[in-house]
Amino acid sequence: MCSTDSGISESLQAALDTWAASHDCSCVDIESDTRFKRLWIICISAASFVCLVITLIIMWTERKKKNTSVEEDEEEGKQTSTSTGKRSSQTNKQSAAELQRELEEEEDDDDLKPNLEKAMQHLLRTSPTKNGKWRPIWSTGVADISEIGGIGTELYFRLLKRLGICFLYMAAFTTLAVGFGVVSDFAPDNGQYLAKTTVGNFGSSVTGNNLLPPDQRYLVLESPSGCEGIAVTDITKIIAWLDVVAMVIFISVLAWFRFNTIPKIVKEADADDITVKDFGVEIDKLPLTIDGMEEEDPDRPGFNKYEAKLCELLEERMTLMRKSRPDPRLEATGPPKVQEIVLVRDYNGRLEKKGKQAQLTKDIKIAEYVGDTKTKEKKEKALEKLNVTLQKKLKPVPELNVVRAYAIVNTQEDADNLMIDYRFSTYALLRWMQQCIGNIKFLECCCPQRHRFFQGHAIRVREPPEPTNIIWRNQDVPYKWRLLRRAIIMIIFLLIVILSFVLVYAASAGAKSNMQSNNQLLGDSSCDPDTTAIGTSAYQCYVENATAWTMNYIETEASADEVGCWCGTIGYQAILNDPSLITGVCADWLTNIGTGIAISVGATLIVVVINILCKGTLLRLAEEEKPLSESDLNASKMTKIWALQTLNTGFVIFAVNFSPPDGMPFGFIFLGEYSDAVRGWYAVVGAALLMNMLANSVTPGGTSIVGMLMGWCCRRRGGPKAKHQAELLKLYENPDFDIAAKFAQLLTTVFVTMTYSAGLPLLNVFAAMYMFFTFWCDKLELLWGSKRPPAISFSMASDAVQYMLYSIALHLVFAIWMFGQPCTFPSSPLGGQLASLSDSAIDSASSSSGSSATAASLQNRFEERLTRESTWMIFVLLVICILLWVIWTVLWILGGTVGTACEVLKSCLCPKRHKVAPEADAAAADSAGPIQTWETCRHTIERVCPPASYKMEEHPSFSHIKDILAATLANSHSTSNPLFSPRGPPVPKDLAEKFLVACKREYIDKVDQAVGKCFEESKASPEDQEALSKFESIVRSASSAESAKQAIEEIAAKWKMAPPGP
């Protein structure tokens, strides 16, 4: 039924008649909205159905995987470390100690001929296999990934899945905007179909002389019974509210993951898993030297005086903390004791150079064996240069300066007590306060701070990293030197960012200059690009003129610019539907459009190449910062790569086409013609962003799969050509799983999507595609195409989610910019009480402003956008987010400074009234069972996740340079207390022979306590017993007598000794 309202203006009636004629309808009904409700219901229902199906599938698969995992655990049995129920998360893996032993034996193998069977075994050992078999892709759950790469890797995959579901539901709520955009034709049709899905395409265009003001246009839909029309202003406020709902979903998911999921998983992992970190503390801010530090302490055999005095202080503080926090279970563990103390010495950067020396020596041997004279000479020259820098003699190791220390204590509770006792030492200001108060003589009797000092120094005690997380080559780099390196590298990083921005900017600008302009002007400043930026000499295409031209005029009299204007006005789809136009007057226009699209795709590929090149440079820069741990290194990599990729992917194309207002700082950078989100902006910039993100949804995952396939092909083709076993082993070793780059790509996707998804709602779909596709590709790469990664902590996942919270504000600002545009997204101004409140706020702001005319114009323009029906709720949400961020920041500052300072003053001046920690609940303590000690857990840790020590020589990264480092450092200091043990048994040879015989008797001949009796009869020292215990654990973990015999023979071969006889 057509409209009968007599109040319709003549221009609107003329437009309705034009729309009816173009859609072959008798009239356009603007009173009924049945068709639009039907479209809305179809979009929401279809999207909700897809979301529900995917959610149910995910829930079903997770439950099935969980049940399968439980059944496997029941069949294989769980290896419990103690009666407390605390276990290792890696009990189902091949023994990590056995893995390390096998890898070291491969390094020592004297057989240099390529052996494909050993190479295959090497591939299985170095990959995240389970019981020597590849893990299944489908049935390996997210929780199982923590067994492979630690909590950080598990959280990465959990975050991918959560964000995939989140963006899927966000897409469900914003799919109506996509649907309305697809059925509209307001934006210029330049062949970019993705531009039709944007909010800039809302409404139906009017041809001829019946142009309507932009805020009065309608969206017309065809139906079998006729045509229906609805005012765009009635649509926009609904779309804006749906975007707010989508944002609430995003905020809720991120907040829940950051403040609930991560702490919960970390807490569960801490309760379930047992590692060296649970028993250890890190101590720094120590004195570099003390008197007689190199002398052996007579009361502690095997400890020098520095180590003995530090142990004495720690044991004293643990004893006092036990009294202040009584726990009956601790009494059964004996007095507090430091089981291991490792002093980190200042080797003046020699460790890193020694590693390079070892690698060069190995490369020279390989080149000599295969007869590669050129490579051998090149490596020898590099080795000679390196040897020159290593000629300087070092002091004996016990006399080198101490940088920091790692200590392992008897119980986890004692380690926690130490960190509680020194909790204020983590702040430099509070350490200075402690130092000042402790040095006041009359406070010495009442202030307990002085008793925490070591040799007059206010030391810092904090939670240590895992032994494998330590980067030993950087441990002796001074803090100030690392700080200087960070500053220099930050400057270099900014220069690289600027250079990459210039290159990407030049590529995009070059592509733009070779593309035909698609600006069809409506004659309305709110709808058209900045004509001054286009240039007065350039041809300006007005839709009103183009629609008035006849075909005869176009074919006979029109200029080339007018022909292009006419073809662009009628649109790409209309030309394709008319074969005469394809081969006729619009042939050149179509060629130019195709060329422009190809150039745009080429510019996108250039951006990808620049990102890849800059990524490699940034990875190297992050290593040059000399971080102390792998977690710090990965965090630095993640932040730098994320910043660069986000800039190049999401903001360069915006800058190329942006026309800044007069007086804007650095306005000379922007040379575009779009100062606002007008219809042409969506056709050019919006379409390019959608194309980039569509490629981004499959490119990272696809690259991983291609890399795996290339690796398989290289092994298949290069394996038979290898001339040395080392070359074959290198070929049969998967690359690292670069978790930092994965997080960086995830951050880039989230930030670009959140920035523009208000006006480009299809980005939510592309983001969901990226999350799910990358999840499975990265899972395939982790399980089948990467080397077994180290245990990644949760810090990188926590930082990534925290960064994502800032994308919320970015989204809301751009949403106000897009939804407040009066032409592409028209909406009515606020009415009623909200309007009066906004008017009074604007009046008061205007009266107090003394800015220039340009600034006042920009201010009025901004204030006008905030007071529309489509933007006010977004502005309120933005204000709430800013207030929450301010409160969070203030609480963080107060809690970390003022609050902590008050606590330290209270603990110093009123120590008896200050409660250091909650008192232990007796009932909870009884139910928890006995406390596990280091002696009961050490063997399990050594077997499952070695090394069970903070000693540098036990770190896996030094396994291939032990011989070289021991030999070269032996020339630079006394042979007493060498850094690494030479090849051979770690104890006297006669004791080693007796130990091997005792292992055979106990684990093969089943003679009870044979090893223990061997130690007693030989009067082995505690240090020798500890050195041999890890080898005993290898034999003990053998599944059969035959396996035990093989393990004994392998140990004997490693020690260069004959195995025990029958």
Side-chain angles (χ1 to χ4, degrees), residues 287-306:
L288 298 178
T289 60
I290 63 174
D291 294 337
M293 60 182 292
E294 72 282 359
E295 300 175 3
E296 184 174 354
D297 188 82
D299 298 329
R300 288 179 181 263
F303 289 77
N304 59 40
K305 286 190 175 181
Y306 197 113

Side-chain angles (χ1 to χ4, degrees), residues 151-304:
I151 302 175
T153 309
E154 176 189 349
L155 287 173
Y156 168 71
F157 284 95
R158 286 189 181 275
L159 186 58
L160 277 176
K161 183 180 291 188
R162 294 281 181 88
L163 287 178
I165 298 175
C166 173
F167 279 111
L168 195 63
Y169 278 92
M170 291 171 66
F173 279 96
T174 57
T175 187
L176 185 63
V178 177
F180 282 147
V182 170
V183 298
S184 302
D185 59 357
F186 183 66
D189 185 6
N190 60 351
Q192 299 278 10
Y193 183 80
L194 292 176
K196 294 180 66 66
T197 65
T198 66
V199 300
N201 197 43
F202 282 0
S204 299
S205 60
V206 183
T207 58
N209 298 321
N210 300 322
L211 292 178
L212 282 174
D215 59 343
Q216 297 181 17
R217 71 180 184 273
Y218 277 66
L219 175 60
V220 178
L221 291 179
E222 295 183 44
S223 65
S225 59
C227 295
E228 293 180 3
I230 185 173
V232 174
T233 52
D234 294 336
I235 298 175
T236 53
K237 59 184 179 182
I238 299 174
I239 300 301
W241 274 109
L242 291 176
D243 184 77
V244 171
V245 173
M247 283 308 303
V248 172
I249 294 175
F250 183 77
I251 295 172
S252 302
V253 170
L254 277 190
W256 184 264
F257 195 87
R258 171 62 179 81
F259 300 107
N260 180 269
T261 302
I262 293 179
K264 181 180 178 181
I265 291 178
V266 172
K267 185 177 180 180
E268 290 176 353
D270 184 63
D272 291 343
D273 303 339
I274 181 169
T275 62
V276 180
K277 180 180 176 181
D278 295 326
F279 294 89
V281 292
E282 178 184 351
I283 310 140
D284 59 357
K285 308 303 178 183
L286 292 161
L288 298 178
T289 60
I290 63 174
D291 294 337
M293 60 182 292
E294 72 282 359
E295 300 175 3
E296 184 174 354
D297 188 82
D299 298 329
R300 288 179 181 263
F303 289 77
N304 59 40

Side-chain angles (χ1 to χ4, degrees), residues 7 155 238 272 375 460 484 591 665 725 839 941 990:
L155 287 173
I238 299 174
D272 291 343
T375 301
R460 177 170 61 182
L484 178 61
T591 302
Q725 181 66 7
D839 291 340
I941 295 174
D990 58 340

